[in-house]
Amino acid sequence: MSGDAREDLRGPADVIRLSAIRRRIAKHMRASKAAAAHTLMAIEVDYSAVDAARASGRSAGLKLSYLPFVARSLAATVEDFPRLNASVEERELHVYTRLNLGIAVDLDFEGLIVPVIRGAADMDLLQLSSAIEDLSGRAKAGKLDVNEVAGGTFTITNAGGYGTLFTGAIINHPQVAILSTDGVLPKPVAIAREGGGYDVAVRPIGVLALTWDHRAFDGAYTAAALQRLKHQLESRDWTAELEAAQSLRARLEDQKRA
């Protein structure tokens, strides 16, 4: 049987020419998989404290997603685990002192782009939320400057709006790690009692999955970093942080009007 005959058995097909952006993504992803020793590790997070802050924000007219909380927690985690914020260059690991955080943005299923929040560790919750919203909106509208998609040192990709469980993302080479934030859904969890035993409660639970380059660090480093990230999200007083950010924004606006 000829090759053409075998091909015909698959039936008719619509032929879609790969766009320029699809070809660029394919080339970049193939290069990343070829160069980096991809490894995946994930952890569950209880978002109760985050949800309490988001509810407080809604009462003040703010609409906050989970992303600025994850970004803020990541920045704190990188302080103690700086190798997350690095690139492999030949035989050297370049560990960056500034967190330039890339946020993967979907372009209506026709590709993606990764605008960069420079100096993300120096921003509070409201600043991160505004930066994410601004860059995402301009990315979708095709209004980003070329410099706004360059110089990233770590990337977050977010499919959580679709209720995904966890994502094994491909590293945005030459970075050494990428974090996926997936769906946050109510789930029954075991809560330890002080005197022993457990109770069952329904909590907002989501999975954070970190794909990392095994050339840069090992599993123990990754596990400890994920545990620290989990602790940040679950234990920080997010409501107090949000109130402080709101107060600072109000003072700055008052100064502008004065």
Side-chain angles (χ1 to χ4, degrees):
M1 183 180 291
S2 70
D4 287 344
R6 285 196 301 270
E7 202 169 295
D8 290 343
L9 293 176
R10 295 181 297 180
D14 293 326
V15 177
I16 301 172
R17 184 174 178 80
L18 293 178
S19 65
I21 191 170
R22 284 250 59 85
R23 295 196 300 273
R24 287 197 300 272
I25 291 169
K27 182 178 180 180
H28 186 58
M29 294 298 98
R30 287 200 310 270
S32 179
K33 291 290 283 188
H38 279 65
T39 318
L40 175 67
M41 190 175 287
I43 198 166
E44 282 192 330
V45 174
D46 183 339
Y47 284 87
S48 294
V50 172
D51 272 356
R54 294 175 70 223
S56 175
R58 282 194 295 272
S59 68
L62 299 173
K63 186 178 180 182
L64 295 169
S65 71
Y66 290 105
L67 271 180
F69 296 91
V70 173
R72 185 93 168 114
S73 297
L74 175 69
T77 300
V78 165
E79 290 181 8
D80 295 319
F81 296 89
R83 290 191 177 198
L84 295 174
N85 193 48
S87 65
V88 175
E89 308 286 347
E90 297 296 333
R91 297 185 178 183
E92 299 175 334
L93 183 68
H94 292 197
V95 181
Y96 301 105
T97 57
R98 182 173 68 169
L99 176 62
N100 291 339
L101 184 60
I103 303 292
V105 177
D106 170 66
L107 301 177
D108 297 323
F109 305 150
E110 294 299 328
L112 60 84
I113 194 168
V114 185
V116 176
I117 302 172
R118 301 187 186 282
D122 299 323
M123 297 183 179
D124 63 29
L125 280 170
L126 290 182
Q127 290 170 326
L128 284 167
S129 180
S130 295
I132 291 168
E133 184 177 354
D134 170 59
L135 287 171
S136 298
R138 289 192 292 115
K140 290 178 181 294
K143 295 181 178 179
L144 289 177
D145 182 88
V146 64
N147 290 327
E148 291 178 303
V149 294
T153 58
F154 188 99
T155 298
I156 294 177
T157 182
N158 173 39
Y162 295 101
T164 51
L165 178 60
F166 70 86
T167 303
I170 297 177
I171 297 166
N172 189 9
H173 187 71
Q175 297 169 24
V176 298
I178 182 170
L179 183 74
S180 71
T181 61
D182 289 275
V184 178
L185 301 170
K187 294 182 180 179
V189 296
I191 308 297
R193 300 192 196 111
E194 287 188 10
Y198 294 88
D199 292 317
V200 176
V202 175
R203 297 286 180 85
I205 303 295
V207 174
L208 294 178
L210 186 72
T211 305
W212 87 95
D213 186 344
H214 219 312
R215 298 176 301 168
F217 44 84
D218 299 315
Y221 191 90
T222 307
L226 280 173
Q227 181 60 42
R228 183 65 55 84
L229 181 58
K230 171 185 172 75
H231 179 75
Q232 291 287 333
L233 282 162
E234 294 182 346
S235 302
R236 289 175 78 116
D237 190 344
W238 292 115
T239 300
E241 282 202 34
L242 181 57
E243 290 172 353
Q246 289 175 284
S247 178
L248 176 60
R249 176 175 285 189
R251 290 199 302 272
L252 292 174
E253 289 177 353
D254 288 342
Q255 290 173 6
K256 288 179 181 179
R257 288 193 293 266

